Amino acid sequence: MTYKTFLYGALVSSLVGLLSACGPQIEQAAAPKPITPQNALALQDVVSSQLAPLQLGGGDYLLLASEKRGLVLVDASGRERLALDGGTVERFALQQLAQDNWLIAVYDEDNGELQLRLLDLEEGSPRIRYLAAMATSAPQEALCFSRQANRTHLFAIDESGLGHEYVVHPREQAWQFTEVRPLYFGEQVSSCVVDDRSGKLLVAQPPLGIWSLNADAEMDEAREVFVAASALPGASFGGLWLDARSNNLWLTADDKVLAFNIHAPEQGPQFVETLAEIKPVSAAVQQGALLALEEESDRVHRFAVTLPEPAAELQAFRGPLEIPRVRASAQTAPVSSGGDAADDPAIWVNPVNPSASLILGTDKKSGLNVYDLNGKLLEHFAVGRVNNVDLRPMQHGKFVAIAAATNRTDPGVSLFGISAAGEVEYLGLRNLAMEDPYGLCVYRKGADLMAWVSDKEGAVQLLQIVPGAGNVDWSLRQLATLEVESQVEGCVVDDEMQLLFFGEEDGGIWRLDIAAFLGGEAGPQLIAAVDGERLAADVEGMGFYHAGDKSYLVVSSQGNNSYALFSRDGSQFVGHFRVDINLDKSLDGSSETDGLEVSSAALGSQYPQGLLVVQDGRNRMPSQSQNFKLVSWADIAETLNLP
C-alpha cells in the first residue's frame, strides 16, 4: 500500500461517518410516481456519458462526450452538426469566452492527455479547433472551468483524487497550461463545477457527498459540506451542472435528478424527480425541459417538468467584493523553512547605486534572509526565530544603516549593521525583559535611533538603540511602556511627524503622538476600524510611502488578502488592491500577508516610482515554501489612479 493510498483511505474512513450526519435531508415520504420522457433525441454511434447545452448563432445545441468520436455537437432537434474525429472522451468542461465562442477542455483516454479546443462559427457553421494538449499521469475523472480576474482556470481531478488547478491561456502559437496548485480529495470523485458568482468550487465525491471550497487559490480553502451523502438517494451521484440563470445546481443520483439552490443548499433540494426507464449520469435544462442521459447512451431523454425558480431574496445574492488587482513584478527565493515561516520584510536603499538595494526578510523559524532586487538569496543569518524586522539609516563610522529584528528564541532584539557597500553584518542579540518579542518598528528622533517592540501577549516598549564603537557594545535602553488592549504586531513610525501607527489585529489602526504620549498628555486613537471590506481582520504589516503631500500609509488587510492605502495621517481611506498573478513572469499573487514594507525611492528601471514588498502566505505556481512578492509602485499608482 502506498502512502497516498493509505492517506486517501484514512480520509474517507474518518469523514464518511461525519458527513453522513450533515447536510439537508430528503424526507422519506411516499415514493412519487416516476416521470416518463416526453420524447428522446436518437443519436448515431455516440456512446455518451455527459451532455451540456450551449448556444451558437442564436440557436440551441447540445455538446456530448463520445467514447467513439471524441465530441459530438447536435442541434435541439438531435440533428448532428459536428463531430471531433477519433478519441475516447468521457469528460469535458465547457466555458463561454464570448458570444459564439466556447472553450472546451477534454480528457482523451486514447492519448492520455488533457486537450483544449475552441468551438465557434465559421461562415455560420460550427467548427472545433485544436488549441493545446498536456499529457497526464492518470485518467481524469472531473473537469470544470472557473473565471477569475478575467482569466480562465481549469480544475482537473484524476481517478486517485489528486486534483490540479491550471490557468489556461494563449501563448504565441498555442495555448498553455500553467499549474497554480494541487488539490487533494480521495478516490471516487465523479464531477465538479464552479460557481463564479460566489467563487465556489463544488466537487461530487461518493460516498462522502458534495464538497464546497474556494476556487481562488489565494484564499483559505474553506472546505465544507455542500450536500452530504445522506441527503442524496443512493450511493452513486454526480453529473454536476450549474444553471447560472436560476442559480440552481443540477445533479443525478441513481434514478433521480435533483436541483439545489447554489446559495442555500441547507433548504434541501428544490427539485426531485425519479425518472422512469433510465438511471441518468448527466442532466441539464434546455428550452424549459429537463434533459437526461444514461451512461454510455445514444439517446437524450427530454422530460416536461415544472422547473424550480430561485427565491426572490436569492436573486439579489451579493458575491465577494471585487477589489482591483495589481500584478506581481518579481518574487524572492522561498524561505528554507516549511509552513508559516516567512513574515516581515525591510528595504535598504543603496544611496550610491539604488539598483543594488537590498531586501531583508525574516524566516521566523530560522533567521534573517538578505535578497537583491531580483529576489535572489544573497545571505542567510541563522540567528533564531526572528519575527519582525525594520531598519533606518544612521551616521556611524562603520555602518550606514542599522536593522533590528525581534528574536523569539532567546527573547530580545537582534541587531544588524549595513555598510555602504551593501554588506550586512550581525551585531548580536540584546535581551529584553519580555516574554515573547513580536512586532517591531524602528524610527529616527534627531540623531537617535529608536524602536517600538511589542510583547505578543503584553505591552509595547519604546527602546533607544545605543550605538557602540565595536559590534558587541551596542545596547538597548528602555524609555517607556505603552499598554495596549490586544495583540499588536504591525507598526510603523512617520519619522518627520513623530507619529506611531500600529495595528490591533482584530480592531483596526491606532495612531499615537509620541511626544504627547511621553509627556503624559495623549494616548492612542483608533483612526480606522476593521469593517470587513476596506480593512479586514487581521490587520498586519504597515509601511509608509513618502512622497511629500502624496504620501500614503500602506496596511496589510489579511482577512481579504488586500492592501489598503490611507492618507498620511491615517484618517482617510484612499483605496485598496490585491497582488495578482503575473503570467508573463510565471508569478502567483500574494495572500495571507503578515509583514510588508514600501519605499518611494527610484530603484532602477524596474521600480522607477518605488517598491512594495509583501510576505506571501501561499506561494503557488508551483506550490513552494513561503516567500516575498515585489510590486512596482508605478503599477499600484496606475491601477488606483493615484495622483
Side-chain angles (χ1 to χ4, degrees):
M1 176 185 294
T2 66
Y3 174 73
K4 183 166 70 174
T5 303
F6 170 78
L7 182 62
Y8 289 160
L11 173 67
V12 172
S13 300
S14 61
L15 294 181
V16 66
L18 171 64
L19 298 187
S20 64
C22 301
Q25 304 293 316
I26 300 175
E27 295 184 4
Q28 300 300 316
K33 182 179 179 181
I35 59 174
T36 56
Q38 184 182 33
N39 53 51
L41 304 179
L43 311 174
Q44 296 295 320
D45 204 27
V46 172
V47 189
S48 179
S49 297
Q50 184 184 354
L51 59 79
L54 58 90
Q55 281 200 328
L56 281 172
D60 289 316
Y61 291 83
L62 282 177
L63 184 67
L64 299 110
S66 173
E67 294 188 18
K68 292 186 175 182
R69 302 162 65 199
L71 291 169
V72 174
L73 182 73
V74 301
D75 61 23
S77 66
R79 183 167 64 98
E80 187 173 309
R81 298 296 303 275
L82 183 66
L84 183 65
D85 294 333
T88 300
V89 174
E90 293 187 4
R91 299 286 180 267
F92 66 84
L94 183 67
Q95 182 186 70
Q96 186 169 14
L97 299 179
Q99 185 175 355
D100 300 331
N101 201 288
W102 296 82
L103 184 65
I104 308 169
V106 303
Y107 174 68
D108 187 329
E109 292 188 9
D110 292 345
N111 297 317
E113 60 184 18
L114 279 172
Q115 298 177 354
L116 291 178
R117 305 275 178 167
L118 184 68
L119 171 61
D120 61 4
L121 294 175
E122 183 179 37
E123 297 181 353
S125 298
R127 64 173 178 174
I128 293 180
R129 290 185 287 159
Y130 171 88
L131 297 178
M134 180 184 68
T136 65
S137 59
Q140 305 296 300
E141 294 294 327
L143 302 172
C144 49
F145 281 123
S146 170
R147 196 71 179 161
Q148 301 179 31
N150 297 319
R151 293 185 305 269
T152 297
H153 292 235
L154 173 66
F155 293 92
I157 307 172
D158 68 25
E159 63 181 4
S160 70
L162 176 61
H164 294 277
E165 178 185 359
Y166 305 95
V167 179
V168 292
H169 53 104
R171 178 76 73 192
E172 297 178 354
Q173 300 300 317
W175 280 53
Q176 182 173 326
F177 295 81
T178 299
E179 184 172 349
V180 177
R181 59 169 166 168
L183 289 162
Y184 305 95
F185 294 95
E187 296 178 356
Q188 301 185 57
V189 168
S190 61
S191 57
C192 67
V193 70
V194 176
D195 175 28
D196 287 331
R197 194 175 181 188
S198 64
K200 296 296 185 182
L201 167 65
L202 303 176
V203 178
Q205 187 182 15
L208 298 179
I210 300 175
W211 295 105
S212 168
L213 55 154
N214 282 322
D216 188 342
E218 297 296 352
M219 297 181 67
D220 284 329
E221 190 177 276
R223 188 178 304 209
E224 61 185 17
V225 182
F226 180 82
V227 179
S230 59
L232 299 170
S236 176
F237 52 85
L240 302 182
W241 178 76
L242 179 62
D243 184 358
R245 295 179 180 178
S246 66
N247 294 327
N248 285 319
L249 176 73
W250 292 81
L251 63 143
T252 62
D254 284 353
D255 60 351
K256 293 179 174 59
V257 174
L258 303 89
F260 289 84
N261 192 293
I262 195 74
H263 305 306
E266 70 279 357
Q267 295 181 356
Q270 309 296 302
F271 177 95
V272 182
E273 289 287 358
T274 302
L275 308 188
E277 303 180 12
I278 70 168
K279 288 189 175 182
V281 293
S282 182
V285 171
Q286 188 179 59
Q287 295 182 340
L290 173 66
L291 305 179
L293 181 69
E294 194 168 18
E295 188 171 10
E296 299 181 350
S297 171
D298 279 332
R299 295 174 66 85
V300 177
H301 299 267
R302 186 190 300 269
F303 298 85
V305 294
T306 301
L307 299 175
E309 296 183 0
E313 63 270 16
L314 293 175
Q315 293 176 349
F317 170 79
R318 182 182 178 188
L321 178 69
E322 185 55 40
I323 296 175
R325 295 171 182 253
V326 180
R327 297 195 308 170
S329 303
Q331 65 181 350
T332 68
V335 297
S336 60
S337 302
D340 184 17
D343 194 89
D344 189 48
I347 301 171
W348 174 68
V349 177
N350 187 321
V352 177
N353 181 9
S355 296
S357 297
L358 302 175
I359 297 168
L360 278 60
T362 62
D363 178 339
K364 61 187 179 184
K365 297 182 179 181
S366 173
L368 184 76
N369 290 339
V370 181
Y371 308 93
D372 65 18
L373 292 184
N374 293 317
K376 179 183 177 181
L377 179 64
L378 302 177
E379 193 168 6
H380 173 72
F381 292 92
V383 297
R385 299 167 53 225
V386 293
N387 199 73
N388 278 42
V389 63
D390 200 5
L391 61 84
R392 284 294 188 274
M394 72 172 301
Q395 293 181 351
H396 184 273
K398 188 175 182 181
F399 305 115
V400 297
I402 295 296
T406 49
N407 197 316
R408 303 169 72 183
T409 298
D410 187 3
V413 171
S414 293
L415 298 177
F416 302 84
I418 304 174
S419 71
E423 296 174 344
V424 182
E425 187 173 339
Y426 183 46
L427 304 182
L429 174 74
R430 304 298 178 268
N431 291 111
L432 292 177
M434 188 177 288
E435 290 188 10
D436 192 0
Y438 196 49
L440 175 144
C441 48
V442 177
Y443 73 103
R444 290 184 59 84
K445 181 183 179 183
D448 294 331
L449 200 60
M450 317 291 285
W452 291 93
V453 179
S454 70
D455 196 336
K456 186 170 184 179
E457 303 299 337
V460 182
Q461 293 185 13
L462 174 60
L463 309 172
Q464 181 180 356
I465 301 174
V466 182
N471 290 1
V472 298
D473 52 355
W474 290 66
S475 62
L476 302 178
R477 179 184 302 155
Q478 184 175 346
L479 301 179
T481 299
L482 173 65
E483 298 294 338
V484 292
E485 296 183 2
S486 64
Q487 188 176 97
V488 170
E489 180 177 9
C491 66
V492 67
V493 175
D494 185 330
D495 293 28
E496 181 182 354
M497 300 296 181
Q498 291 290 291
L499 295 175
L500 167 68
F501 296 81
F502 63 89
E504 180 189 2
E505 293 191 354
D506 296 327
I509 303 170
W510 294 78
R511 183 181 64 204
L512 177 70
D513 184 319
I514 299 174
F517 166 71
L518 294 176
E521 299 175 358
Q525 294 177 295
L526 182 65
I527 56 173
V530 166
D531 61 8
E533 292 189 357
R534 298 185 305 178
L535 199 60
D538 291 343
V539 177
E540 293 278 351
M542 293 184 174
F544 263 113
Y545 182 86
H546 283 297
D549 59 353
K550 299 299 184 291
S551 297
Y552 302 100
L553 173 65
V554 186
V555 180
S556 167
S557 176
Q558 194 179 78
N560 60 5
N561 296 325
S562 72
Y563 307 91
L565 268 62
F566 292 85
S567 58
R568 181 173 181 174
D569 65 358
S571 63
Q572 296 182 344
F573 175 76
V574 176
H576 55 182
F577 63 94
R578 287 179 174 149
V579 175
D580 197 22
I581 288 173
N582 186 332
L583 288 174
D584 293 337
K585 297 183 178 181
S586 298
L587 302 173
D588 67 312
S590 67
S591 56
E592 287 257 317
T593 292
D594 289 327
L596 63 78
E597 186 56 283
V598 61
S599 172
S600 60
L603 302 178
S605 59
Q606 192 171 4
Y607 306 108
Q609 297 180 35
L611 168 67
L612 172 68
V613 181
V614 301
Q615 182 260 2
D616 184 12
R618 302 183 183 91
N619 189 17
R620 314 290 196 186
M621 298 175 58
S623 294
Q624 295 177 298
S625 298
Q626 295 178 346
N627 69 350
F628 299 90
K629 294 296 187 290
L630 283 61
V631 186
S632 170
W633 188 267
D635 294 339
I636 297 170
E638 180 181 3
T639 300
L640 298 186
N641 295 315
L642 300 178

